[in-house]
Amino acid sequence: MPTASPLVAELKRALKERELTYAQVARALGLSEASVKRLFASGRFSLERVEQICALAKLELSELAERARRRASPTAKLSLEQEREVVADPKLFLITWLVLNRTPFEQVVRDYGLTPREVGRYLIRLDRLRVIDLLPANRFKLLVDRHFTWRTDGPVQAYLFERLLREFFSARFENAPDEFFFHGGSISEGAHVQLKRALRNAANDCVDIIERDRGVPAKRSGAAFVIALRPWTYSGFSRFLRAG
C-alpha cells in the first residue's frame, strides 16, 4: 500500500480511538516496536497485516474501508444518532462548538477547565464523528462542508431552541455593542422568496466577516447573531381574527 493510503490513515485513527499503542500492536504481530513504527511511516502493509491490526482494534476490514470512504467526502449533516451523541455530553457540545469556530487546542486548554488529555479524548470523538480530521499534536482539519448545518428536525437544533436561544433572547439588547431589529408585515409569496434570498446573503456576509477576522491579532470576545424568517402572526393579534 502507498504511504498516503487512506486505509492506513484510518487505521491509525482507529488505534488512537481505542488507545492502542505501537508497543501493543508490536506484541500482537510478533514484531519489534521499531518495526511497527516503520510500517506506519512507510504505509507499506500487506493485506494480512492490516487484517491483523483490524482484529486487534476489533474492527472489520470492510468497516475500515467504509470509514475511509466516508472521510473522503465533506460532511454536510450529521446523522440523528451523531447529533444525539453531541448534545448528550455538555463538554462534547462545547468542544464541537469551539472546533467549528476553529479554536486551537492550546486556547481551549487555556480558556476552559479541561485537561489536555480530556480535550484530546473529545477531539478523538469528533474525528470519529467526521467533524474533524485529527492531526499530530492535537491539530485538526475541519471535515464539514462549507455549508454545514445542523438538522432542522434534529436534537442539536432542539437544544439550541430550548437552551441557547432562550438565553440569547432574554437580554434587552440595549448596550452599546448590541444590535436588534424586528419587523414584520403581511407579504406576498414573491416578497417572501426575496426576503429569504436577502437573509441568506446577509448570513453569508456575516460569516465571511468572521472568517476574515480569524487571523486578526486583537482582543477577542464571544458574539452571536441570529437571522430568521417564518410565516407568523403574533398570537395576541391572531386571536382577534375573524373566523372563516
Side-chain angles (χ1 to χ4, degrees):
M1 293 182 178
T3 303
S5 167
L7 281 180
V8 174
E10 201 61 45
L11 199 55
K12 288 181 180 179
R13 294 187 185 95
L15 292 175
K16 188 167 186 178
E17 286 174 15
R18 290 153 178 80
E19 298 186 345
L20 292 168
T21 65
Y22 283 160
Q24 291 171 298
V25 174
R27 284 195 295 271
L29 299 184
L31 299 172
S32 68
E33 185 176 349
S35 296
V36 170
K37 288 180 178 179
R38 283 195 295 271
L39 275 175
F40 275 98
S42 67
R44 299 188 179 281
F45 287 83
S46 66
L47 185 57
E48 181 183 3
R49 289 293 193 208
V50 173
E51 288 177 330
Q52 288 174 327
I53 300 173
C54 280
L56 177 65
K58 295 181 172 55
L59 188 69
E60 294 291 333
L61 181 59
S62 59
E63 184 182 351
L64 181 72
E66 176 61 17
R67 283 177 46 153
R69 185 195 66 77
R70 290 199 309 265
R71 193 176 295 278
S73 56
T75 301
K77 277 185 172 61
L78 299 183
S79 68
L80 285 173
E81 292 74 19
Q82 289 171 319
E83 286 203 4
R84 288 190 189 105
E85 181 176 343
V86 168
V87 297
D89 185 333
K91 290 182 181 178
L92 178 60
F93 184 69
L94 166 66
I95 299 300
T96 304
W97 181 277
L98 295 172
V99 158
L100 291 175
N101 283 282
R102 296 178 178 81
T103 309
F105 173 84
E106 296 78 12
Q107 185 177 338
V108 175
V109 173
R110 185 188 69 217
D111 293 347
Y112 295 90
L114 302 170
T115 67
R117 183 178 178 84
E118 195 173 10
V119 176
R121 286 201 300 266
Y122 283 117
L123 291 179
I124 289 172
R125 289 175 67 180
L126 290 179
D127 181 276
R128 180 174 55 78
L129 290 170
R130 292 183 59 246
V131 174
I132 63 170
D133 184 4
L134 187 56
L135 305 172
N138 287 310
R139 294 178 297 108
F140 60 83
K141 179 179 72 173
L142 280 178
L143 293 179
V144 297
D145 186 87
R146 186 176 183 276
H147 302 291
F148 172 83
T149 57
W150 299 111
R151 305 178 72 90
T152 55
D153 58 345
V156 172
Q157 189 173 90
Y159 186 93
L160 294 177
F161 278 114
E162 292 168 7
R163 307 284 184 85
L164 276 75
L165 289 183
R166 182 175 296 178
E167 180 179 313
F168 183 78
F169 283 115
S170 67
R172 296 183 62 84
F173 297 90
E174 58 189 7
N175 297 317
D178 301 344
E179 195 68 81
F180 182 83
F181 297 100
F182 181 81
H183 188 77
S186 179
I187 61 173
S188 67
E189 183 177 343
H192 191 96
V193 172
Q194 292 176 49
L195 281 173
K196 288 180 68 174
R197 185 184 305 117
L199 292 180
R200 287 197 193 101
N201 291 338
N204 289 335
D205 288 344
C206 291
V207 170
D208 287 343
I209 290 169
I210 293 174
E211 290 292 327
R212 290 194 300 269
D213 183 63
R214 293 192 192 282
V216 177
K219 182 179 179 181
R220 315 185 80 77
S221 60
F225 67 90
V226 176
I227 298 176
L229 172 71
R230 67 182 176 93
W232 180 76
T233 302
Y234 172 48
S235 61
F237 299 159
S238 61
R239 66 192 180 97
F240 296 117
L241 290 172
R242 190 182 300 278

